[in-house]
Amino acid sequence: MYTLGIETSCDETGVSIVKDGKEILSNLILSQTDLHRYFGGVVPELASRRHIEVLDGLTKDALKEAGITLKDINLIAVTSGPGLVGALLIGISYAKGLSYSLGVPIIGINHVEAHLYANFMEYDDITTPCIGLVVSGGHTTLVRIFEIGKYKILGQTLDDAAGEAFDKVAKLLGLGYPGGPIIDELSKRGNPKAVMFPRAMLGQENYDFSFSGLKTAVVYYVKGFSQFRKEKPPKQPISTMDLVASFQEAVVEQLVKKTIRATLDMGYKTIILGGGVSRNTRLRQSLEEETKKLGLKLYLPSPIMCTDNAGMVAGLGYVRFRLYGPSPIDLDAQPSQPLS
Ligand code: KG4
Ligand code: ZN
């Protein structure tokens, strides 16, 4: 069974062909970074327009790479939310047109669930129940996964998402867009202990996150208001590498501590990660160290399966179609679609 996956929830156009829910025959991604870089963030209308321009051509390329034609497609899976409404609508409209003309079923897929599902496509031995952490440009969500399709959200960010914080701090420092990969690279040459930025919410019993105070602390630091944090100004100006490494360490510590605590509190043994920030070198390293110490199992997607891609959408589409059947043809975009 061949599933065509379509992902247009934000600033990546993705088309993928997946055989029997697992075998990725093609997984093409056209990033719009060049388009949004100038603005330091995603401009929704520009994102939608670019999706329109490239989606049909990318679909043809994905079919060609997979060695099949449209007539071979048995199911169309498309991201229906959460995401930018205009961008989602492009993918959904295109998917509906194909579904109607080819006479094949369509299924709407939750983007956050797809990020989690990426792990199940790459690893065969994940046992549930387990803890899932989705860290992306739009989400920081800690979930109990009972089985595929059954979740309970434990905590979320109360303000900025982790990836958003990376992007905003990079913008503030004039480092470029998207900020996550740039800060990740620079931090490798920086001292993570140079500045003790605040670790929000760690003293609290809940599983929620907060990153906007940390972002503000970086702003204050850069503008020279370090007395706000009762810290003496450094004798020597601090390097950008040390600054971003210290910021990254504060993000990572918050993510790792809460995730580990949730896992232990639930009595689970397994953690899976998803979303663009799960590519972060320090986050992967820190989680690997902590889980090893505690005898927990950790699953991290390969880099291409961390960031937005249509392979995870097609894979999850196949599973959900078999479990719950297709979506109605009046499937609509749900910009704030909850995980359920
Ligand atoms: O999952 P994703 O591709 O799109 C959303 O669903 O938002 O995640 C994009 C986010 C951006 O904020 C980007 O800066 C961040 O993931 N990101 C990273 C890294 N690679 C991408 N953040 C930290 N370290 C990275 N290596
Ligand atoms: Zn995403």
Side-chain angles (χ1 to χ4, degrees):
M1 177 160 169
Y2 293 104
T3 307
L4 169 69
I6 297 172
E7 157 62 44
T8 63
S9 68
C10 192
D11 63 339
E12 256 106 25
T13 318
V15 181
S16 171
I17 311 290
V18 171
K19 192 175 172 200
D20 298 332
K22 280 229 155 176
E23 197 185 333
I24 298 177
L25 303 182
S26 59
N27 193 9
L28 303 185
I29 301 164
L30 264 183
S31 170
Q32 302 182 356
T33 305
D34 59 315
L35 193 62
H36 304 288
R37 178 175 280 140
Y38 175 76
F39 303 96
V42 179
V43 182
E45 179 61 21
L46 295 183
S48 308
R49 288 173 189 221
R50 179 64 68 83
H51 287 312
I52 297 178
E53 284 162 17
V54 301
L55 189 50
D56 193 48
L58 200 64
T59 304
K60 290 191 173 105
D61 288 351
L63 287 163
K64 196 169 169 201
E65 192 176 308
I68 61 167
T69 69
L70 268 182
K71 290 196 188 75
D72 299 310
I73 296 296
N74 309 104
L75 173 68
I76 298 168
V78 59
T79 304
S80 51
L84 303 171
V85 68
L88 289 166
L89 278 171
I90 307 303
I92 294 173
S93 308
Y94 184 75
K96 278 186 188 177
L98 278 183
S99 161
Y100 190 69
S101 61
L102 298 171
V104 299
I106 184 170
I107 184 157
I109 289 299
N110 180 293
H111 182 81
V112 174
E113 184 181 9
H115 271 308
L116 290 170
Y117 184 73
N119 290 280
F120 292 91
M121 291 180 83
E122 295 199 290
Y123 303 101
D124 284 325
D125 60 340
I126 303 175
T127 53
T128 52
C130 65
I131 290 291
L133 175 69
V134 178
V135 265
S136 68
H139 297 91
T140 307
T141 309
L142 197 56
V143 211
R144 277 170 90 169
I145 304 172
F146 301 103
E147 59 187 73
I148 293 164
K150 294 208 166 54
Y151 312 96
K152 183 172 189 316
I153 292 182
L154 286 171
Q156 308 206 57
T157 181
L158 302 180
D159 36 60
D160 291 347
E164 194 180 351
F166 272 100
D167 295 339
K168 285 179 174 169
V169 165
K171 186 177 178 185
L172 165 83
L173 299 174
L175 299 176
Y177 173 83
I182 300 167
I183 290 182
D184 188 351
E185 253 340 279
L186 286 173
S187 297
K188 288 178 187 161
R189 287 173 281 142
N191 173 11
K193 295 188 178 140
V195 188
M196 193 58 196
F197 284 122
R199 275 75 168 145
M201 318 280 298
L202 280 187
Q204 299 185 16
E205 288 295 299
N206 58 37
Y207 303 109
D208 289 326
F209 304 90
S210 165
F211 298 104
S212 84
L214 170 60
K215 176 192 64 193
T216 310
V218 177
V219 174
Y220 282 157
Y221 197 92
V222 171
K223 292 190 187 292
F225 301 145
S226 54
Q227 62 270 32
F228 272 94
R229 299 185 339 278
K230 300 191 179 82
E231 208 174 275
K232 286 196 185 119
K235 289 196 185 84
Q236 306 237 310
I238 183 171
S239 76
T240 302
M241 269 128 28
D242 285 352
L243 186 66
V244 294
S246 302
F247 156 77
Q248 177 179 271
E249 196 64 13
V251 175
V252 167
E253 194 177 317
Q254 199 184 137
L255 292 172
V256 171
K257 287 208 164 138
K258 288 245 164 170
T259 306
I260 297 280
R261 186 157 64 72
T263 312
L264 297 178
D265 287 353
M266 301 303 141
Y268 293 173
K269 290 263 170 254
T270 302
I271 298 171
I272 69 174
L273 239 65
V277 182
S278 52
R279 282 177 88 132
N280 185 267
T281 314
R282 179 69 190 123
L283 176 63
R284 293 171 87 96
Q285 178 196 34
S286 174
L287 269 171
E288 262 157 13
E289 283 166 11
E290 294 305 313
T291 48
K292 202 168 167 200
K293 268 191 238 159
L294 294 161
L296 303 172
K297 282 213 87 171
L298 174 70
Y299 295 89
L300 301 166
S302 58
I304 187 187
M305 294 300 276
C306 287
T307 32
D308 288 353
N309 70 89
M312 63 186 191
V313 177
L316 179 59
Y318 171 85
V319 175
R320 287 198 74 108
F321 176 72
R322 288 169 65 108
L323 286 172
Y324 308 112
S327 299
I329 194 71
D330 65 354
L331 167 75
D332 207 352
Q334 285 185 269
S336 308
Q337 187 181 344
L339 182 66
S340 60

